[in-house]
Amino acid sequence: MKIILFRTLNFTGWIGALSLLLAVSAQAALTLPALPNGDCQYSWNSKYGPSGYTAGGNSIGVYLYFGAPYGNDYTVGILEIPISSIIPGSLTAASLNVYSNGFGTGYYYGSADIRWIAPTIPLTGNPVTDDVGSLINSSAGGYELWDSSRGQGAGWFSFDVTANVQADLDAGRGFSTFVLNGSRETSGSIRTAEYTGFGAYIVATVPEPSSTALLGLGGLALLRRRR
């Protein structure tokens, strides 16, 4: 004969289990907008070198022109978005949201995307001060805004940047930096923080503060029960 013993949780155990359940399920969404000085354009010419930054205005974009014998002209958009309000280790999801004014390609085939830059320099929230332009070629990954074979239109685009933001948090950075890239003769832009209501922003999902407190209460209750 088998005798099955049922172990019931005491009051402290139930409090711990309930608080753990609430801590897992309760999430808060933080909206982290780009700062007015956190977006700008950077231009250069493959023959003559960089021509510098352009800050301000309601849009930043990517403008590529191939016109030998003048060399290739490039302009890219740069975004630095603050993430310091996220408690390290608490991020569960993050999405980058940008409003596209539209893109187009003048020669055969082209594309435009947003890439994440993982620089080795501290970030201040001002791409000009941080000299992000020197790091553009080190950008990794890509989130598509335009492909001439599909022809996406204008409007809001949202991209999962959880891994990117988490990497920035792990590195102790206060900002996540993204750059608009293009290929061929692709031109177009997104709206900036100066354009009220349409600037780029990150939505970060984290546990609610009350849930964090409950998580601590639950862990303490279970620890006391074990002892």
Side-chain angles (χ1 to χ4, degrees), residues 6-105:
F6 292 90
R7 177 180 293 180
T8 59
L9 291 174
N10 58 21
F11 178 75
T12 304
W14 279 113
I15 289 293
L18 178 61
S19 60
L20 284 173
L21 178 61
L22 290 174
V24 170
S25 60
Q27 301 286 324
L30 300 178
T31 300
L32 311 173
L35 304 177
N37 66 344
D39 42 33
C40 69
Q41 293 188 160
Y42 181 79
S43 303
W44 74 95
N45 182 286
S46 61
K47 184 176 181 180
Y48 299 110
S51 56
Y53 293 89
T54 303
N58 289 333
S59 66
I60 55 173
V62 52
Y63 302 97
L64 280 72
Y65 173 69
F66 297 109
Y70 310 107
N72 298 334
D73 295 317
Y74 300 86
T75 300
V76 299
I78 301 170
L79 293 168
E80 283 189 8
I81 299 181
I83 58 172
S84 58
S85 59
I86 304 174
I87 300 174
S90 67
L91 181 70
T92 58
S95 63
L96 173 66
N97 300 270
V98 299
Y99 190 93
S100 168
N101 291 319
F103 290 80
T105 302

Side-chain angles (χ1 to χ4, degrees), residues 38-196:
D39 42 33
C40 69
Q41 293 188 160
Y42 181 79
S43 303
W44 74 95
N45 182 286
S46 61
K47 184 176 181 180
Y48 299 110
S51 56
Y53 293 89
T54 303
N58 289 333
S59 66
I60 55 173
V62 52
Y63 302 97
L64 280 72
Y65 173 69
F66 297 109
Y70 310 107
N72 298 334
D73 295 317
Y74 300 86
T75 300
V76 299
I78 301 170
L79 293 168
E80 283 189 8
I81 299 181
I83 58 172
S84 58
S85 59
I86 304 174
I87 300 174
S90 67
L91 181 70
T92 58
S95 63
L96 173 66
N97 300 270
V98 299
Y99 190 93
S100 168
N101 291 319
F103 290 80
T105 302
Y107 172 69
Y108 182 56
Y109 168 84
S111 62
D113 59 22
I114 293 180
R115 296 174 181 265
W116 172 66
I117 296 182
T120 57
I121 58 176
L123 300 178
T124 68
N126 187 330
V128 180
T129 302
D130 296 335
D131 194 22
V132 176
S134 63
L135 299 166
I136 287 175
N137 291 332
S138 68
S139 57
Y143 304 101
E144 185 179 278
L145 284 168
W146 162 261
D147 186 300
S148 58
S149 65
R150 288 186 285 277
Q152 300 97 317
W156 285 104
F157 285 72
S158 182
F159 308 106
D160 182 359
V161 294
T162 307
N164 309 119
V165 175
Q166 186 62 61
D168 286 326
L169 291 171
D170 293 343
R173 300 188 183 108
F175 295 83
S176 284
T177 304
F178 300 89
V179 59
L180 278 68
N181 285 335
S183 68
R184 302 278 183 176
E185 282 189 319
T186 296
S187 298
S189 64
I190 64 173
R191 295 183 181 176
T192 66
E194 286 83 353
Y195 201 119
T196 305

